[in-house]
C-alpha cells in the first residue's frame, strides 16, 4: 500500500463510471459483494469507478463499530485485489480506524497505489463529530496525470477548502450520502464548485433509504468547468453512467478565461 502523488502529464481523456447505488445498512460483506458486481460489469468501459460515501456500511451512528484499521485490517487489501483483478481503479469512502481513531476516509485505489483524504467537515446535525476525527491535512490525489480534489459529502458546502488555487487541480470528486430534502443544494453546489474553480466535478450520491428512514435520490452527475452537466444518473434509482472528460477543453478555458489569476490569496489552516 502506498500514498503516491508523483506528477505526470494528464491523459487526453479520462473515462469515469458513476455508480449510484443503494447501500446495505452495516453489512460490509454484502456491500463489498455489490461493489465487486459493479466492477465486473464495467471492465473495459472506463478507467475509474466512483462509489458513494460510506460504501461499506452506509452513513450511520453505528458505522464506526464496523471500522477496520487502515493499516492492518482487510479492507485495503480487498480493494487492491478488486482493482487488480478487474483492471479498474476505484474510489469512494469508508469509515476506518487510523491510529485507533475513526475517520471517514475517501480512498482512490489503483492496484497497489492507494491514496486517501479524510473528511474535513463533519456534519454536526448528524452527530458526526462524535463519531470520527476531521482531516488533519488537505491532499490532492493523482490518477493518470489528472490532479484530483477529493471531497466527502458535507465538504461540498465549504468553498475555501475546495478552492482551486493557481490551477492546482483538474477535477473534484465528491462522494456522498446526501438526502432528498437537500437535493437542490447538492445539485447547485456541484455546478458552483465547477464554475468557480474552472474544473470538472463528479458527484456520486447513494439512493434508497437508510436505517433512519432518510431517502436518497442520487442526482449523481459529471459537470464540466462551465457548469454544464455532461452525464447524469437516473433519478431515484440505482444507475451507472460512464462519462468522458477531455483535458484539452479544460486547458483551453483556463487559458482563454484566466479568472484564477485574479483570485484572492489566503492561508488555509487545516
Amino acid at each position: 500500500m502506498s500514498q503516491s502523488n508523483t506528477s505526470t502529464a494528464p491523459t487526453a481523456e479520462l473515462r469515469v463510471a458513476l455508480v449510484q447505488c443503494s447501500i446495505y445498512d452495516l453489512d460490509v460483506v454484502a456491500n463489498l459483494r455489490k461493489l465487486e458486481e459493479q466492477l465486473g460489469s464495467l471492465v473495459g468501459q472506463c478507467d475509474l469507478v466512483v462509489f458513494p460515501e460510506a460504501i461499506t456500511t452506509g452513513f450511520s451512528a453505528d458505522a464506526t463499530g464496523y471500522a477496520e484499521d487502515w493499516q492492518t485490517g482487510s479492507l485495503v487489501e480487498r480493494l487492491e485485489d478488486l482493482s487488480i483483478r478487474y483492471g479498474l481503479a476505484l474510489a469512494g469512502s469508508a469509515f476506518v480506524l487510523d491510529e485507533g481513531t475513526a475517520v471517514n476516509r475517501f480512498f482512490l485505489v489503483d492496484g497497489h497505489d492507494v491514496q486517501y483524504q479524510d473528511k474535513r467537515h463533519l456534519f454536526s446535525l448528524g452527530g458526526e463529530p462524535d463519531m470520527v476525527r476531521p482531516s488533519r491535512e488537505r491532499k490532492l490525489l493523482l490518477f493518470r496525470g489528472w490532479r484530483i480534489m477529493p471531497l466527502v459529502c458535507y465538504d461540498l458546502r465549504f468553498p475555501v477548502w475546495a478552492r482551486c488555487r493557481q490551477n492546482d487541480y483538474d477535477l473534484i470528486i465528491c462522494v456522498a450520502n446526501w438526502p432528498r430534502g437537500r437535493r437542490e443544494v447538492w445539485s447547485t453546489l456541484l455546478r458552483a464548485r465547477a464554475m468557480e474553480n474552472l474544473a470538472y466535478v463528479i458527484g456520486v450520491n447513494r439512493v434508497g433509504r437508510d436505517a433512519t428512514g432518510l431517502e436518497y435520490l442520487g442526482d449523481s452527475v459529471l459537470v464540466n468547468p462551465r457548469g454544464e452537466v455532461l452525464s447524469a444518473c437516473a433519478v431515484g434509482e440505482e444507475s451507472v453512467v460512464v462519462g468522458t472528460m477531455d483535458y484539452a477543453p479544460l486547458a483551453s478555458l483556463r487559458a482563454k478565461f484566466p479568472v484564477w489569476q485574479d483570485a484572492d490569496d489566503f492561508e488555509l489552516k487545516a
Side-chain angles (χ1 to χ4, degrees):
M1 181 175 68
S2 66
Q3 175 76 9
S4 173
N5 200 20
T6 303
S7 179
T8 58
T11 57
E13 293 184 344
L14 190 62
R15 300 173 302 163
V16 181
L18 286 61
V19 178
Q20 177 177 283
C21 60
S22 59
I23 301 174
Y24 297 106
D25 291 304
L26 306 177
D27 192 336
V28 176
V29 173
N31 286 317
L32 286 175
R33 185 184 306 117
K34 187 170 190 173
L35 184 152
E36 181 171 4
E37 290 171 355
Q38 293 290 353
L39 292 176
S41 68
L42 288 166
V43 172
Q45 299 182 42
C46 59
D47 309 302
L48 172 64
V49 184
V50 182
F51 296 90
E53 176 190 21
I55 187 58
T56 59
T57 58
F59 189 90
S60 163
D62 299 318
T64 56
Y66 296 78
E68 294 184 5
D69 186 271
W70 182 251
Q71 295 291 338
T72 62
S74 63
L75 178 60
V76 174
E77 182 179 354
R78 177 69 168 148
L79 295 174
E80 289 178 333
D81 176 69
L82 290 172
S83 175
I84 293 168
R85 188 187 316 169
Y86 294 102
L88 294 166
L90 54 153
S93 96
F95 290 102
V96 299
L97 298 178
D98 182 53
E99 298 178 352
T101 303
V103 293
N104 188 346
R105 178 158 289 178
F106 181 107
F107 58 80
L108 196 165
V109 178
D110 183 17
H112 292 300
D113 181 19
V114 180
Q115 302 172 69
Y116 63 87
Q117 167 69 57
D118 295 339
K119 188 175 184 179
R120 168 65 173 180
H121 302 91
L122 305 184
F123 189 53
S124 298
L125 289 175
E128 195 173 18
D130 298 324
M131 298 163 52
V132 299
R133 180 187 69 210
S135 172
R136 293 172 171 173
E137 60 180 320
R138 178 185 185 270
K139 301 176 183 176
L140 297 180
L141 312 184
L142 190 72
F143 179 68
R144 304 285 176 90
W146 288 67
R147 300 162 300 169
I148 299 170
M149 175 70 198
L151 301 177
V152 180
C153 203
Y154 197 42
D155 285 332
L156 184 64
R157 284 184 176 266
F158 300 92
V160 175
W161 180 256
R163 187 64 174 165
C164 187
R165 305 180 68 184
Q166 300 298 310
N167 295 333
D168 61 350
Y169 66 77
D170 311 304
L171 165 66
I172 290 174
I173 299 179
C174 182
V175 298
N177 281 202
W178 199 290
R180 176 176 186 165
R182 293 183 285 274
R183 62 182 299 221
E184 288 300 324
V185 178
W186 162 257
S187 297
T188 300
L189 291 180
L190 289 172
R191 294 183 63 242
R193 295 294 89 86
M195 290 183 283
E196 70 192 6
N197 293 300
L198 294 184
Y200 286 99
V201 172
I202 290 172
V204 177
N205 188 26
R206 68 163 291 179
V207 292
R209 291 184 182 271
D210 65 18
T212 68
L214 282 176
E215 184 182 6
Y216 304 85
L217 294 183
D219 296 302
S220 302
V221 292
L222 164 59
V223 183
N224 73 12
R226 298 181 183 275
E228 301 162 339
V229 174
L230 299 182
S231 303
C233 290
V235 176
E237 62 186 64
E238 294 195 308
S239 174
V240 179
V241 297
V242 176
T244 299
M245 294 173 291
D246 297 319
Y247 193 83
L250 170 63
S252 176
L253 177 61
R254 287 175 167 178
K256 292 179 180 179
F257 191 58
V259 295
W260 51 273
Q261 294 179 352
D262 303 320
D264 300 308
D265 193 22
F266 62 91
E267 180 181 353
L268 183 65
K269 296 182 178 179

